[in-house]
Amino acid sequence: MTEKRKLGVFLCHCGGNISDVVDVKAVRESIEKQDGVVLATDFRFMCSNEGQERLQKEIRERGLDGVVVACCTPKMYEDLFRQKAEEAGMNPYLLEIANIREQCSYAHRFEKDKATEKAKVLVRGQVEKVRHLKPLEVKTAPIQPGVAVIGAGIAGIHASLLLANLGHKVTLIEKSPTIGGNMARTVKTFPTDDCAMCTLSPKMNEVYNHERIDLVTYAEVKEAKRSPGKFTLVVEKKPRYVTDACIGCNRCTEKCPVSTAKSPVSVESEWDQGLTKRKAIYLPFPQALPQLWTIDADHCFYFQRGGKCRVCAMVCPAKAIDFTMKPERLDLEVGAVIVATGYQEYDPTPLRLYGFGREPNVLTQMQVARMLDSMGPTKGTVSRPSDGRAADSIVMVQCVGSRGAPGDPLTHEYCSRVCCMVAVKHAQLIKKARPDTEVYVLYNDLRAYGKGFEEYYVHSMELGVKYVRGLPGKVRKEGARLLVDVDDMLTGRRLEIPADVVVLSAAMEPTPVDDLLKSLKLDTSPDGFVKEYHAKINPTETAVKGVFVAGCAQGPKDITDSISQAGAAAMSAAVFLGGGEMTLNPLVAEVDAALCRACDRCMEVCEFDAVKVDPEMLIAVVDETACEGCGKCTVVCPTGAISVRQFTKPQIVASIDAMAPMAVSP
Amino acid sequence: MRVASPPRRRQAGRKATALGSLAVRPDSPTFWKEVAATPGGEEIAICVQCNTCTSSCPVEVLEPDFNIRQLVARVKLGLREDVLDDPLLWACVRCHACVAHCPKHVNPGEIVEALRYIALREGKEGPGPRHAKAFAKSVLQNGRIHEAGVTIDSIGWRGMAAQGVLAVQMLRRGKAPSLRPHPLKSIREVQALIAAAGEME
Amino acid sequence: MRYAYFPGCVATDSCGELDQATRAVAAHLGIELVDLEEAACCGAGNLQEANPKAALALNARTLSMAEAQGVDLLTVCGTCQMYLARANRELQDPATREKVNAVLARVDRRYEGRVRVRHLLQVLLEDIGPRKLAANVRRPLGDLNVGAFYGCHLLRAPGSEAFDDPEEPRRIEELITVLGGRPVTYGGRTSCCGFHVLTVREDLALRMAGGELLEAKAAGAQVLATPCPLCHLVLDAYQGRAGKAVGAQAGLPILHLSQLVGLALGIDPERLGVKRHLVPVAPVVRALEEREVLRA
């Protein structure tokens, strides 16, 4: 381990940042006598061209086989110095940085003597470590080409298009029979009041027709396995029982007996948020893509009642019904995965003071969105479900299910971000359609943060929308109408507002995809959304290398932000896939097979799914494409079999042994 | 940090039901439009209730129940009689601090003007309306303000008596306003103009 | 220098000394005041509430009178400045002006929007100018601590921001310095005197004014100068009652701007009407007379 080494120590003055506090000459004098050190020199700016040339010159001329540069934080120039060392003929991983700036001269500005002593200790420690280092090789690994995008809402669609246009093969997997997600049913988008389908449909069609996008709908990812450079997904395509021969005439839907007045079985329409019923054979909405009808086997009389009912097959002019279709299994190998599984609306039934579920005329914003669709269940008018009459007085309640108590299982602690704008949107759409309707928005804070949002909100007041600051204490019945009790902080009055319809701005929840997340080894944040790598600085990567997240799956956001994030995720995925090969960082974990006893502990603690016990060889194997070198495994390994390169126990202990006697007391 | 000390009396001017409930129902949902169509009230719709106006108000510091932001909110919500019957509507001193500071240029001080105009038109009574009517009468009769006449019409002889020795002091200094009105020579022109102005949109 | 003079109603009635002093100062400085004898009241906010259309028409009439003389309008009252400048601003809009002119036509008048409404303070500092003013000073204000009470309307009338900072104004202090005096600032100098609620909520006005007077006193002011006769009425005539409302008398003499200037110019105090004030001005006059400088 400790053969005769030729170590060089380069001490940087950093133009005074170090040398004004640390007596660099004294440090140099203390280190030049150390065992193995053949050169100890100091310089004003090691990072300058001159400094780098100096480094290279000394390496070449003296044949150095280990270097310590005592300077600023390794985050600044470690890569650069290693590159220069390599160019000069030394293995780059035999170079270490001793941080005598941020961790010494900056931290102990006013104690120059002690800072100098500390610098001596730090340099000594690194010299000792370098003496124990081995040269390392940089390897590459192939990455499987191709990306799987899970979820075909706006985020998934946008990411798919970007990647496909960049030349990547994309498999876009969608659980429901049609793509489009929640955006398709929002009718209009704030703050521009664009028709949602008009902006979404072109993208949907582009995805549908793109030669590099393989669209797999009515399908779910059942299993996901990671191996170096590759994800293997098992996708199950549910059978529609309708073939491509379908011409879209709709006769089957018209004749299907399910959900008719006399039928014992009826299904609530997912598309219309439960406001209407649908048949067992259906097209989710007119612009659905693919334009294929689907039979919902769970509610179809043929499947549920012994195969007697075949009405759809009998009336279909194209003979497109095929009850014998089976689920199909699709095995997919991709290099990267983007999770874009979106959101669903919180069910406010548990919050009994608002009366959702108890009172027919208490609705959610997504239901109102359907009502505002001129082709929807109420042809564009917000009406009372109890009797179908148009609502003359509408009260909207914000923050339902959001901004709740920490630890409350019935509500979410977070703010759902978009509901303020949704309420403003719906309120002003209602005022524009029926100006005499009274619309009240009861809020806690009004969050109109984005571009054009404030102007949109102010404009809603010019249309006559009324804003009340205060959330209600009760929604109760008064005759045929509802009465909302609310204390208004703005007028200082306790109000009783009669309402035909009360609309709850319910929270945004992540779509439940626990099984998917488990197979991908993805974590969720405490709020239930997919956990991003870092909430502030890296919102599109996840802890699992190669898996990215975009859209509302990661957290509540509006369409604009979903698109932005999808773009970022697509770019991250593209960078990751690179030219088909990834360069592996050698400073990751490795296993000494002789010591490993396959106890599984390293596998249990690894957050990056980077170490697995091979069941046949009974040895832990590190996937160097995923390991981040965090060292958690090394802490729990009972035998010391697993260690992180350049941070092995002997190396660390040697360093500490060298430093300990010199320790500076505070 | 100093805090205005008099206790807040939320009940001032509000009417309770027989059972004592002070809950109200917004009964005039188009009241805000009426105010928006009155000179001074044009921008009422865009008030976001930021409270800069009340924070700038020299009256609120002494009389917390006079809250201009709240008054605007009550108009926007449709509490018409609540606003027009409120005696504090006449406590605004017209200093225009709120007008100068409002970030949205809503002109709260001028909304007060518009509300007072509506209140006067509806025949509301009280010391405030009385003064405004006295002033207008003086302009109509004299073209200018006959201070003594306006004062007596506004506060009455009892009010004058409550002024105590002030009137005497002013008399002694020659500061007392003239007891006789001095109408403009062209008062007829002024009256014709006032009548004609009534026909403007 | 010629101006259409609009003294307003109070300046020619209970604060008649303001009109007197203004004329004396104007004569002394060579300012020609063209009387608008038939001009009606500016409305003072009250007429704007009772009959907004009449108020606009009457102010348009006043402005048309000044325009007919080819001169700007000069005010000596904060409230007149506010409501005339407001009307003038509204009348800059061609549609509004045409509407009003249709009515003015019935009394053979017309307004084209070319008049500026300016207060005496502006005219003194901008048109006369500090140099000429200083050159005319015979009784420099000397050791006298003079505080300014701006009054809200002058600071917030349309167009005032170009002349002075409404939050931290300096122009009256500048005038005091030009007149050889020592300006004293205090918190309440930009606050409201409460005149406009005197007949409705006298208690509020008295508490406002009382507090401001005590603040000025505590800051060392020996006399206050104000550009508005309405503020003057409250601060001077109602000073006693205000003091009772806040529990302490300030005992501060209050001068109109014209009087302050007139005294500094060496005009006979009798001609400035200082004897009419309720809080005696005599001590101030005496102090100034002792420092009188005769110049050739």
Side-chain angles (χ1 to χ4, degrees), chain A residues 585-607:
Chain A
N585 180 359
L587 298 180
V588 293
E590 68 178 350
V591 177
D592 181 347
L595 293 173
C596 177
R597 62 174 201 229
C599 70
D600 280 0
R601 272 179 230 186
C602 54
M603 212 166 84
E604 281 159 20
V605 301
C606 181
E607 286 175 34

Side-chain angles (χ1 to χ4, degrees), chain C residues 39-281:
Chain C
C41 172
C42 70
N46 290 299
L47 190 62
Q48 277 75 4
E49 286 161 12
N51 193 338
K53 294 178 188 168
L56 184 59
L58 288 178
N59 282 330
R61 174 175 175 268
T62 304
L63 290 164
S64 76
M65 290 176 180
E67 192 177 66
Q69 298 282 343
V71 290
D72 283 340
L73 197 68
L74 173 69
T75 64
V76 290
C77 168
T79 295
C80 295
Q81 179 70 23
M82 165 67 88
Y83 289 99
L84 279 162
R86 244 176 63 166
N88 203 19
R89 184 183 59 187
E90 277 174 70
L91 292 163
Q92 296 306 308
D93 167 45
T96 309
R97 203 164 63 237
E98 275 324 294
K99 221 171 52 183
V100 176
N101 274 331
V103 165
L104 280 180
R106 308 264 218 95
V107 296
D108 292 322
R109 293 194 192 268
R110 189 173 172 81
Y111 181 52
E112 303 292 4
R114 289 195 295 263
V115 171
R116 289 185 304 171
V117 179
R118 300 172 75 226
H119 187 277
L120 181 65
L121 180 63
Q122 273 176 286
V123 166
L124 287 174
L125 288 175
E126 285 182 344
D127 298 0
I128 305 285
R131 288 241 307 261
K132 180 164 174 194
L133 271 175
N136 274 286
V137 170
R138 292 286 168 273
R139 294 196 204 106
L141 301 176
D143 293 331
L144 208 54
N145 287 340
V146 185
F149 188 86
Y150 283 82
C152 16
H153 284 175
L154 184 60
L155 290 174
R156 297 182 189 128
S160 291
E161 344 62 56
F163 175 66
D164 204 354
D165 174 2
E167 301 299 325
E168 295 293 335
R170 304 167 358 260
R171 302 314 293 267
I172 300 183
E173 284 82 4
E174 188 187 320
L175 179 66
I176 294 166
T177 309
V178 164
L179 298 175
R182 190 156 52 193
V184 166
T185 57
Y186 59 99
R189 69 197 178 102
T190 54
S191 268
C192 182
C193 66
F195 176 85
H196 287 273
V197 291
L198 260 186
T199 55
V200 179
R201 285 292 301 265
E202 190 183 301
D203 63 309
L204 288 175
L206 294 180
R207 284 163 70 195
M208 282 165 136
E212 286 142 18
L213 285 163
L214 289 179
E215 266 190 73
K217 186 83 187 275
Q222 291 163 296
V223 62
L224 290 185
T226 178
C228 178
L230 308 185
C231 297
H232 188 278
L233 254 181
V234 178
L235 295 172
D236 172 59
Y238 280 80
Q239 191 173 125
R241 289 168 76 79
K244 269 211 210 88
V246 295
Q249 295 294 338
L252 272 177
I254 318 288
L255 289 175
H256 297 280
L257 267 193
S258 313
Q259 292 174 324
L260 186 75
V261 175
L263 285 174
L265 293 180
I267 297 175
D268 179 359
E270 289 280 331
R271 289 179 60 207
L272 300 172
V274 294
K275 286 236 176 75
R276 289 183 67 177
H277 299 194
L278 261 65
V279 179
V281 184

Side-chain angles (χ1 to χ4, degrees), chain A residues 289-437:
Chain A
L289 269 182
Q291 278 263 307
L292 289 176
W293 263 245
T294 304
I295 295 182
D296 166 16
D298 293 334
H299 296 99
C300 166
F301 282 163
Y302 175 89
F303 288 103
Q304 298 298 322
R305 290 165 166 227
K308 292 209 197 73
C309 173
R310 311 183 99 240
V311 174
C312 50
M314 293 195 299
V315 303
C316 175
K319 307 251 176 290
I321 309 289
D322 177 4
F323 291 111
T324 66
M325 281 170 90
K326 295 271 173 280
E328 259 180 68
R329 173 178 161 137
L330 177 63
D331 288 285
L332 206 53
E333 280 187 349
V334 291
V337 176
I338 298 184
V339 174
T341 46
Y343 72 92
Q344 65 184 23
E345 196 180 44
Y346 168 80
D347 177 354
T349 310
L351 300 177
R352 292 201 283 264
L353 76 161
Y354 300 126
F356 185 79
R358 166 180 31 105
E359 293 292 338
N361 294 335
V362 176
L363 304 169
T364 65
Q365 292 288 6
M366 280 183 88
Q367 290 178 315
V368 166
R370 296 310 311 132
M371 286 186 171
L372 288 170
D373 185 349
S374 52
M375 299 204 302
T378 59
K379 305 279 179 280
T381 306
V382 177
S383 339
R384 297 150 46 99
S386 60
D387 57 13
R389 282 194 1 233
D392 291 324
S393 172
I394 299 171
V395 173
M396 298 189 178
V397 180
Q398 298 305 104
C399 307
V400 174
S402 304
R403 304 185 72 185
D408 177 11
L410 292 179
T411 61
H412 301 287
E413 200 180 332
Y414 53 82
C415 161
S416 293
R417 194 172 164 121
V418 299
C419 356
C420 281
M421 291 310 294
V422 169
V424 174
K425 172 179 71 170
H426 287 170
Q428 55 102 32
L429 287 174
I430 292 166
K431 284 302 262 187
K432 280 184 180 157
R434 274 183 100 233
D436 289 337
T437 314

Side-chain angles (χ1 to χ4, degrees), chain A residues 438 440 454 457-458 461-464 466 468 478 483 487-498, chain B residues 10 14 22-26 29-30 32 45-49 69-70 73-74 76-79 82 104:
Chain A
E438 279 311 307
Y440 300 86
E454 171 74 14
Y457 154 58
V458 166
M461 290 195 287
E462 287 172 329
L463 292 170
K466 302 199 158 110
V468 169
E478 191 189 59
L483 204 61
D487 185 279
D488 177 15
M489 289 178 240
L490 302 179
T491 58
R493 303 284 185 265
R494 168 67 170 264
L495 305 173
E496 286 172 350
I497 309 181
Chain B
R10 287 182 81 225
R14 293 169 64 187
L22 287 165
V24 295
R25 302 192 180 201
T30 54
W32 72 274
I46 64 174
C47 167
V48 293
Q49 292 287 297
R69 171 203 56 74
Q70 195 200 76
R74 283 148 64 197
K76 288 178 72 160
L77 193 63
L79 301 174
D82 177 313
K104 290 265 197 235

